[in-house]
Amino acid sequence: MTKSARRIAFIGTGNMNEAVMAGALAGGFDADDVVATSRREQRGTQLREKYGVATMTSNPDAVAGAETVVLGVKPYQLDDVLEEIGPHLADGAVVVSLAVGRSTISLEEHLPDGAAVVRVMPNTPAMVGAGMHAVTPGAHCDDDQLARAKTLLAASGDVITVAEKDHDAVTAVSGSGPAYLFYLADAMIEAGVLLGLQRDVAHRLAVQTIVGAGTMLAESGESPVQLREKVSSPGGTTITALAELDQRAVRAAMVAAMKACHDKSAAMG
């Protein structure tokens, strides 16, 4: 038996919804239980060939009979999509929204009375089974419906339940977080090339260093400060590099960038 004997509808197939769908399929969900919608036939063909899922252009047809509906559309499209699918939702269906800045209350306002919703802030590493999903249930979401949503998300990474008020901060830390690390990786690779390394060598060194450091941080039980100190010998190369970062206010810039991300998320709500 697969992890799901239910029909799961993915409405919209942008990067985030595809990441969650791909992670779920890689984590053991059956493609026969999944339907995805796309406004473009060409995109639907790509998804069928890549994942083996059913695709269609009609959102109402996709949600009919589905027990879990995952919304991956843009925030400005969300109200129209909710009102489009609302009359076609199955009894007991749970609507899972990946939209940035949209509260559970704002979702419920565009669905039939008593509809169950779950607000999620995922991130793109779900594509490789290493996502981080922060979830908040709506007022009408019962324990079984929340568990259904969390089980789906857990197939592609870690899941944590957070208060609604914390979603903008979650967006700043983990939702947008992968982009910060990709930005850092790119800088490390460029520096390696500047210092005389071949690009493929610099890429391999930087990527494995980030993967290895992340694994240490996840598994060692030690704080980032403790782990950093283990690399930073007095008067050595690492402490010299870190002093240069502090001199250039990299830490302050990072905090400011995440604050800007938080504020943008709040404004979108």
Side-chain angles (χ1 to χ4, degrees):
M1 181 178 292
T2 64
K3 289 187 178 179
S4 175
R6 310 177 179 93
R7 191 176 190 213
I8 304 166
F10 287 88
I11 306 301
T13 48
N15 291 336
M16 195 62 75
N17 225 19
E18 182 182 359
V20 173
M21 182 177 70
L25 293 171
F29 282 80
D30 195 324
D32 290 340
D33 297 325
V34 174
V35 60
T37 67
S38 173
R39 290 178 296 178
R40 295 183 295 112
E41 289 284 358
Q42 182 181 6
R43 174 63 169 157
T45 299
Q46 291 174 342
L47 294 169
R48 287 195 302 272
E49 293 177 351
K50 186 173 183 179
Y51 299 109
V53 301
T55 63
M56 58 183 65
T57 57
S58 170
N59 293 332
D61 287 348
V63 304
E67 291 196 3
T68 304
V69 177
V70 186
L71 302 180
V73 299
K74 300 295 185 183
Y76 70 86
Q77 300 171 318
L78 195 56
D79 292 350
D80 289 341
V81 171
L82 289 168
E83 292 177 3
E84 179 188 24
I85 67 173
H88 305 276
L89 292 173
D91 291 341
V94 58
V95 177
V96 180
S97 171
L98 310 183
V100 174
R102 290 300 301 269
S103 70
T104 56
I105 292 176
S106 75
L107 301 173
E108 292 163 350
E109 288 175 344
H110 295 276
L111 290 171
D113 290 345
V117 304
V118 175
R119 177 182 179 181
V120 183
M121 173 45 62
N123 64 14
T124 53
M127 184 76 77
V128 294
M132 183 69 246
H133 312 291
V135 304
T136 300
H140 309 295
C141 181
D142 63 30
D143 290 344
D144 288 343
Q145 290 165 322
L146 178 60
R148 191 190 312 158
K150 293 175 73 172
T151 297
L152 173 63
L153 297 168
S156 58
D158 197 6
V159 183
I160 185 172
T161 302
V162 301
E164 185 117 49
K165 67 179 181 62
D166 292 331
H167 264 266
D168 296 323
V170 169
T171 300
V173 175
S174 64
S176 298
Y180 313 150
L181 293 181
F182 300 147
Y183 186 93
L184 175 62
D186 182 56
M188 292 172 67
I189 293 166
E190 289 301 315
V193 173
L194 176 66
L195 297 172
L197 295 174
Q198 294 296 313
R199 183 168 295 276
D200 61 335
V201 173
H203 182 277
R204 184 173 177 180
L205 291 170
V207 170
Q208 183 55 39
T209 297
I210 291 173
V211 170
T215 302
M216 286 183 68
L217 188 57
E219 298 181 358
S220 69
E222 297 183 273
S223 71
V225 173
Q226 290 172 311
L227 292 172
R228 188 185 71 213
E229 288 176 345
K230 288 185 175 180
V231 192
S232 307
S233 302
T237 57
T238 303
I239 197 68
T240 300
L242 293 174
E244 185 70 18
L245 292 175
D246 285 343
Q247 179 69 26
R248 295 175 182 271
V250 172
R251 181 190 297 265
M254 189 69 200
V255 172
M258 294 175 69
K259 177 64 164 57
C261 181
H262 169 280
D263 293 348
K264 178 65 174 180
S265 175
M268 291 174 68

